Amino acid sequence: MLAVVTYTDPRKTSLSIEREKALMEKHLSLIKALRKSGFEVFDVNDALGKYSDFEDGKNFGIDSKNDAFSAAKMISGNGVSGVIIGMWHWTESNLVTLLAKEVNRPLLLYTDDDPAWAGSTCITSVGASLWESAVNYHALHHTRIKGDLNKVEAWARAVEAVSKLSRKSLLLFGAPYTLGMEHLMDDLPRLKRFIGDFLMLDQYLIVKKAEELLSSEDGKIEEFFKWLLKNSNVKFDGSMLTQEALRRQIALYLAAKEIYKEHRQEVAAVSIKCQPELSEVYGVTACLIPALFPFNLDAEGEKEVIPTTCEGDVKGTISSALLFYLSGKPSLFGDIKYVDDEIVMIANCGAASLYYAKLSENPEENMKATIIQGQCQGASGGALTYRTPKAELTVARLIRVGGEYYLLYFLAEGVEIGKEIEEKLKWGKQWPHTAIKNPLDKNTFISIMGANHLSAVPGDFREELRFVAKLWGIKAINLEEKAEVKEFLRVM
């Protein structure tokens, strides 16, 4: 929820019905625009009874310390993610500082381009005072926007996403790190700057429940098996992908789904370690989990989308969850499989969200574009094969260098995976592949990457990611901006 509050000039001699009417109309117009875009808005002036005050010939805007304290109390008690302050005309800065100090939430100072009132004077005066007082992080790092509602909405999406992540947990099946990849380890207490908590469960819980499902006579696995055969293209090979192996993969998926349901209210995203405990020791890869968790359909019907990654990649899981909360779309997750000066190939080791098989809002179309065939690694199991259609994607990755976090991001132009590219694939050909244009040259791209995994979603969310980095207090680096890349690499 976003709070919107409008201030006014508190001097008694400056009371102006014309001014207050203009402030009220601007206030209402902003709230209407936000609600139209799907945001839940808490109208602070309404809660303070300011519409009635205006009808009685009083000020509509906040004009006293008592008002500021009352507004802060209401905001703090309503689960507000961020506060948008209407700076349409002059107000005294200390009234805003009082609110900022009490609520300690992300702040946006907004005014429009109307030359009739002193919005520019107000936003610069109040902004300078928040810098001067620096009563908390959000006061010091507030955002100012003038006359750009699209940018306001980008800030709002960032604030809402950051707020949701800060209140939720990551569910990690299996403790990092996987296959000796030290960058998958992390400073979990420090990551609570971004994430509410971490729920770490051993993969044995999945195996135990999967074995119970396999020995059960309730028919769930068989029903799921038939659904996969009907809705996707399954190619059994008598070796890696047998009917038994696919049923065991289904059992792992259903087991993970049941465990997730026990914690769903608190969980923002999931990661499955898989290797080597499931893929080698248990003897089957867990590929249906990263394929179907971040997808809105399975054999049991329509379901929620759950951002999901592999190999216990904590920063990758945060990146995927962030993109999901910004966009509302399933996030893609995968390895940087190949890089040259022209393209970057993203391909996860066996599965990624089936949404990317066709990028269709009809999940059955995505299923039909998917082939399940034998894996190239692990003891047994099927990989879920597709080639993502050409699309514009926002790519992001949280990394850590020398203990400091950075957010890498760029807007990627999709590349069709045609015959020329397809014929060059060998190892991991069974995996889902997504090709995008390289925003850099190959050597610079691999030099700046702090991970072998990337996350992505359709659409342009660069503005939102810049705001997220500011809210988190970390540096964002746009790989499309050569100067930003050069500066980052210069100090490495």
Side-chain angles (χ1 to χ4, degrees), residues 38-86:
F39 296 104
E40 185 180 359
V41 179
F42 173 47
D43 185 341
V44 179
N45 291 62
D46 183 29
L48 289 170
K50 288 294 183 176
Y51 293 98
S52 297
D53 285 349
F54 176 74
E55 293 296 326
D56 293 338
K58 301 176 185 176
N59 282 339
F60 170 77
I62 285 181
D63 60 2
S64 68
K65 292 181 179 180
N66 285 338
D67 272 355
F69 282 124
S70 296
K73 186 176 181 180
M74 291 175 179
I75 290 168
S76 299
N78 274 279
V80 167
S81 303
V83 183
I84 301 175
I85 303 179

Side-chain angles (χ1 to χ4, degrees), residues 442-469:
K442 62 186 177 184
N443 286 312
T444 305
F445 187 90
I446 63 173
S447 294
I448 201 169
M449 276 299 138
N452 60 309
H453 296 145
L454 291 173
S455 301
V457 287
D460 183 355
F461 294 94
R462 290 173 294 178
E463 192 78 73
E464 287 84 348
L465 290 171
R466 284 190 285 269
F467 283 130
V468 167

